[in-house]
Amino acid sequence: NMEAIGFSEIVNEMKTIQDEISSYINETTNECYLEDIWDYQKGNGGGRTRVWEHDQFIEKGGVNFSGIEGPQLPSAALKSLPISLEKAGFKATGVSIVLHPINPHIPTIHMNIRYFEAGDTEATEPEVWWFGGGIDLTPYYPQFDQVVAFHKTLQKVCEKHDRDYHAMKLVCDDYFYLKHRNEHRGIGGIFFDHLNDGDKAQVLQFVVDVGRTFIKLLDIIFPNQELSYTDAQREFQLWRRSRYVEFNLLWDRGTKFGIQSNGRTESILMSMPKTACWFYDRKVEEGTPEHDLFQFIQPRDWVNISIDELNLSAEY
């Protein structure tokens, strides 16, 4: 029964996921977030932005919730929607996360889950609705076993809900690609959009499970906090972070849409690291762990691969 799932129920699920992940990060890192509660100016609702800016574990991170309703869609949104929705109201909610740890051995991780509907706000069922989201990982000093574990964890949540992990992985690889560099941003993950096939409750359950999986993924990478690192490794991380910035500002659809629709700038740019470095035409020496990164940041069948298939330096 599709009518059973209302917007407020989806909003509550999103808030719960934000709370669970925020608590986990607080407890694991012993660092607290700063909370910024904001109201949506052009309609109803608002959000809870939670930001970590510290000097031991999370250099910059955010776990953001928003739930908004508006009388009219932003023009940027209409491009992909039927013309009948030109004057329609809309509702949108989601959780968006980016964590940039200080230690170069911990990857940057990003997650987003979202729900959108548009149509007559008084109607029982909106004319258009869908879910979207994804999780992806951007390591600096990747560990093979952790990369495989990351992908197997995502595969598991997809298969539990009869979702095609390989298709969602492919979309992710295609999406997080820096065309101007001919480079992929990280080791990928899953990415899905306009998910509205079948029963809304079942699609919601999948999306909620993706959100819950985030903590399992942090369990894989957060223990790397124990690994020591050098100034040179930190510099390499800051250089690679510049690619993250380039992707977010030049290619990311969410950033572009947010800015074009006069969204809340501080929340939209929450994904930016606190520090990043650009060096002119920097090259990486072969036979080093830094050079090995490029063996990782290309599309591979991580759930079925053996380490011998990567051309890694002998230091491992």
Side-chain angles (χ1 to χ4, degrees), residues 241-260:
R241 272 192 194 164
S242 67
R243 299 293 206 258
Y244 207 91
V245 172
E246 289 174 20
F247 181 84
N248 281 9
L249 294 182
L250 295 171
W251 300 106
D252 187 68
R253 293 201 297 260
T255 307
K256 281 184 172 173
F257 174 76
I259 299 294
Q260 285 164 2

Side-chain angles (χ1 to χ4, degrees), residues 7-8 10-19 22 35-38 45-50 62-68 92-97 113 264 267 270:
F7 182 67
S8 60
I10 299 171
V11 163
N12 287 336
E13 291 282 12
M14 296 291 183
K15 280 183 173 171
T16 303
I17 287 167
Q18 184 198 31
D19 286 337
S22 303
E35 183 169 68
D36 189 9
I37 308 270
W38 55 273
R48 305 187 300 199
T49 295
R50 293 176 180 170
V63 178
N64 293 352
F65 157 82
S66 66
I68 61 171
T93 184
V95 173
S96 180
I97 305 175
I113 49 173
R264 187 170 187 272
S267 294
M270 175 280 305

Side-chain angles (χ1 to χ4, degrees), residues 187-206:
I187 56 109
I190 58 170
F191 189 93
F192 54 91
D193 205 5
H194 294 90
L195 212 61
N196 59 4
D197 49 342
D199 185 57
K200 192 187 269 188
Q202 283 176 331
V203 187
L204 173 64
Q205 214 36 64
F206 167 64

Side-chain angles (χ1 to χ4, degrees), residues 15-307:
K15 280 183 173 171
T16 303
I17 287 167
Q18 184 198 31
D19 286 337
E20 287 172 3
I21 293 169
S22 303
S23 302
Y24 174 91
I25 297 170
N26 283 353
E27 286 159 23
T28 315
T29 68
N30 287 318
E31 293 175 342
C32 296
Y33 58 79
L34 175 92
E35 183 169 68
D36 189 9
I37 308 270
W38 55 273
D39 292 317
Y40 180 56
Q41 300 299 326
K42 300 183 206 65
N44 296 320
R48 305 187 300 199
T49 295
R50 293 176 180 170
V51 177
W52 287 256
E53 285 184 302
H54 293 281
D55 53 13
Q56 294 298 313
F57 204 122
I58 306 286
E59 186 175 15
K60 171 88 179 296
V63 178
N64 293 352
F65 157 82
S66 66
I68 61 171
E69 303 179 33
Q72 201 173 346
L73 282 161
S75 55
L78 279 165
K79 291 187 185 113
S80 57
L81 291 169
I83 193 73
S84 59
L85 292 171
E86 202 177 359
K87 297 274 187 282
F90 74 95
K91 298 175 184 179
T93 184
V95 173
S96 180
I97 305 175
V98 180
L99 302 176
H100 294 284
I102 292 174
N103 191 320
H105 294 292
I106 310 177
T108 288
I109 188 166
H110 161 249
M111 179 188 100
N112 175 273
I113 49 173
R114 57 192 180 276
Y115 169 78
F116 171 85
E117 66 175 54
D120 178 2
T121 41
E122 301 308 308
T124 8
E125 253 322 286
E127 186 177 333
V128 172
W129 64 267
W130 70 70
F131 289 90
I135 302 183
D136 67 283
L137 196 69
T138 309
Y140 307 96
Y141 289 91
Q143 295 180 36
F144 179 80
D145 294 344
Q146 292 182 356
V147 172
V148 170
F150 172 83
H151 275 279
K152 283 189 169 166
T153 305
L154 292 176
Q155 181 185 34
K156 204 169 167 183
V157 72
C158 290
E159 288 178 351
K160 179 184 164 188
H161 294 271
D162 293 319
R163 294 283 167 187
D164 188 340
Y165 157 77
H166 289 283
M168 290 181 175
K169 177 196 180 294
L170 203 65
V171 176
C172 188
D173 288 335
D174 287 347
Y175 183 76
F176 292 107
Y177 175 69
L178 288 81
K179 201 172 160 190
H180 67 293
R181 296 281 188 191
N182 189 23
E183 272 177 22
H184 287 266
R185 184 169 88 174
I187 56 109
I190 58 170
F191 189 93
F192 54 91
D193 205 5
H194 294 90
L195 212 61
N196 59 4
D197 49 342
D199 185 57
K200 192 187 269 188
Q202 283 176 331
V203 187
L204 173 64
Q205 214 36 64
F206 167 64
V207 173
V208 165
D209 254 4
V210 168
R212 296 249 150 85
T213 299
F214 190 74
I215 289 175
K216 293 178 189 165
L217 300 172
L218 294 185
D219 274 335
I220 297 171
I221 60 174
F222 269 10
N224 295 358
Q225 175 72 357
E226 302 304 314
L227 302 173
S228 61
Y229 59 91
T230 64
D231 289 347
Q233 288 175 318
R234 171 75 175 157
E235 187 186 89
F236 179 72
Q237 173 203 38
L238 294 181
W239 172 58
R240 292 306 304 172
R241 272 192 194 164
S242 67
R243 299 293 206 258
Y244 207 91
V245 172
E246 289 174 20
F247 181 84
N248 281 9
L249 294 182
L250 295 171
W251 300 106
D252 187 68
R253 293 201 297 260
T255 307
K256 281 184 172 173
F257 174 76
I259 299 294
Q260 285 164 2
S261 60
N262 296 317
R264 187 170 187 272
T265 303
E266 283 304 310
S267 294
I268 296 160
L269 295 180
M270 175 280 305
S271 60
M272 303 293 275
K274 188 188 280 186
T275 43
C277 293
W278 278 259
F279 299 93
Y280 180 75
D281 199 21
R282 179 160 181 160
K283 301 281 189 275
V284 177
E285 197 186 330
E286 287 193 33
T288 62
E290 287 77 15
H291 195 265
D292 286 342
L293 174 62
F294 297 92
Q295 286 293 307
F296 281 91
I297 59 168
Q298 44 184 289
R300 294 184 185 275
D301 184 9
W302 290 109
V303 294
N304 295 308
I305 202 171
S306 82
I307 195 165

